[in-house]
Amino acid sequence: MNKSNAATFTLTDDTTGSAYKLPVIPGTMGPSVIDVRKLYAETGHFTFDPGFTSTGSCESGLTFIDGDEGILLHRGYKIEDLAENSDFLEVAYLLLYGELPTAAQKKKFDHDVTYHTMVHEQLSNFYRGFRRDAHPMAVLCGVIGALSAFYHDSLDIHDERQRMIASFRLVAKMPTIAAMAYKYSVGQPFNYPRNDLSYSENFLHMMFAVPAEPYKISPTISRAMDRILILHADHEQNASTSTVRLSGSSGANPFACIAAGIASLWGPAHGGANEAVLNMLQEIGHKDNISEFIKKAKDKDDPFRLMGFGHRVYKNYDPRAKVMQKSCHEVLAELNLDDPLLELAMALEKIALEDDYFVEKKLFPNVDFYSGIVLKALGFPTSMFTVLFAVARTVGWVAQWKEMIEEPGQKIGRPRQLYTGPQQRPFVPVSKR
């Protein structure tokens, strides 16, 4: 933890007049934090912060977000620069190791991840235990958790080499396992990964190739897929990342921790935003109806909301959206799809970007708006949208888990509560109630 710069906050108990000095700890960027670790010992009180929206739960050097200014940095690098100039595995290396790789380091890292993409053959039998109509996220949760039953040589979290092996396995095998979940749901044979393809190309191949014909991968499509993965790789201490860290704080194995993160991501308030965009577009139905729904969105008494516009974190423009917007238009131009829903999306984007109400309130299209459109254009069913989010976020979860395990002062998570139940009372035998 960064040492205090000698700044303090004074907390005064208005009942007794007692004053308590609380140290202030600065970060390299962003707000400083008030250290309340000794608050209970000194005052007999805890803090109360439902949702932990005002509480710093950990120290991290991975990701910095300034929502007011629309800034997202990974290890100090702007997300726009990484998405434009890197591929997903280079960003993965940066998150895991703290620096961008040299050419030799990247070559070795790409090789090591690529040669870990196959899964244990017996794991394919595991899928047969699920119903064909099972949600892919349910399958992903179960299979990732089950990896700990297949790879016993990477479960010791205190062994640096085993942590490294587990990290590689999770990043490498997640696309394979996700694609298998999709193939199982549509009754098609599993595709084995190919070592001659990039990470994104391989995922597309495992998702959409069929034995009856060769599968051609467009550079525009694979680049769009790579950008989606980069833009979702990590996003600071959100619900799923905090779940991974909290699970890991107990000493749970990494596969169980990532399975817990997937379960948290599954919630519609977290990972389902781009799916909600498609549902909204279907509700609007046709571009001729846009003005009517724009009016509904502006009406505070109307429950309708434009999904994919604005962001809870970014009060300015979502920096990831700028990158995804470019890929979205490139993909739609290349595929030249005659899809009314995609035409509707582009018309809605144009109106929202020019409408004074949305501009004034900074309700710009966010990354979920564009990624939802791109994924639909690429042929992903909406049930796979959150799965794809999990594929991208795995490296962030792993990097956060690894950072937490290697923190010398790491403790098991133990949030406190404000108890509002009955006070202690005598037990009454059932015959006397």
Side-chain angles (χ1 to χ4, degrees), residues 262-284:
I262 292 169
S264 176
L265 183 69
W266 193 357
H270 189 4
N274 47 15
E275 184 175 348
V277 170
L278 268 293
N279 293 336
M280 175 200 68
L281 292 174
Q282 288 168 346
E283 183 181 354
I284 296 174

Side-chain angles (χ1 to χ4, degrees), residues 21 29 33 37 83 100 184 200 214 256 268 289 308 313 316 362 371 381 402 419-420:
K21 286 190 180 296
M29 296 179 73
V33 298
R37 284 174 291 181
L100 288 169
Y184 182 76
S200 296
N289 301 329
V313 173
N316 207 317
K362 298 182 179 178
S371 63
K402 183 171 170 285
Y419 177 70
T420 56

Side-chain angles (χ1 to χ4, degrees), residues 357-409:
Y357 176 85
F358 291 99
V359 172
E360 181 185 338
K361 293 187 174 294
K362 298 182 179 178
L363 294 174
F364 303 113
N366 61 34
V367 70
D368 299 306
F369 179 79
Y370 292 113
S371 63
I373 296 167
V374 170
L375 293 177
K376 175 175 171 52
L378 297 185
F380 285 88
T382 53
S383 62
M384 281 295 293
F385 284 10
T386 314
V387 172
L388 195 113
F389 197 155
V391 171
R393 186 55 56 85
T394 294
V395 69
W397 289 333
V398 169
Q400 296 270 357
W401 169 82
K402 183 171 170 285
E403 181 181 61
M404 180 204 65
I405 295 297
E406 294 170 359
E407 168 61 45

Side-chain angles (χ1 to χ4, degrees), residues 43 54 58 67 84 100 167 171 189 223 235 264 268 287 317 369 394 408 414:
T43 71
S54 298
C58 64
E84 189 64 36
L100 288 169
S167 299
V171 173
R223 182 62 182 144
H235 208 240
S264 176
K287 58 185 179 182
Y317 201 88
F369 179 79
T394 294
R414 180 58 172 89

Side-chain angles (χ1 to χ4, degrees), residues 267-305:
H270 189 4
N274 47 15
E275 184 175 348
V277 170
L278 268 293
N279 293 336
M280 175 200 68
L281 292 174
Q282 288 168 346
E283 183 181 354
I284 296 174
H286 193 275
K287 58 185 179 182
D288 292 345
N289 301 329
I290 290 177
S291 58
E292 175 192 344
F293 279 89
I294 291 284
K295 288 179 183 176
K296 287 165 67 69
K298 294 177 181 179
D299 184 352
K300 293 180 180 179
D301 298 324
D302 194 302
F304 176 79
R305 293 291 178 268

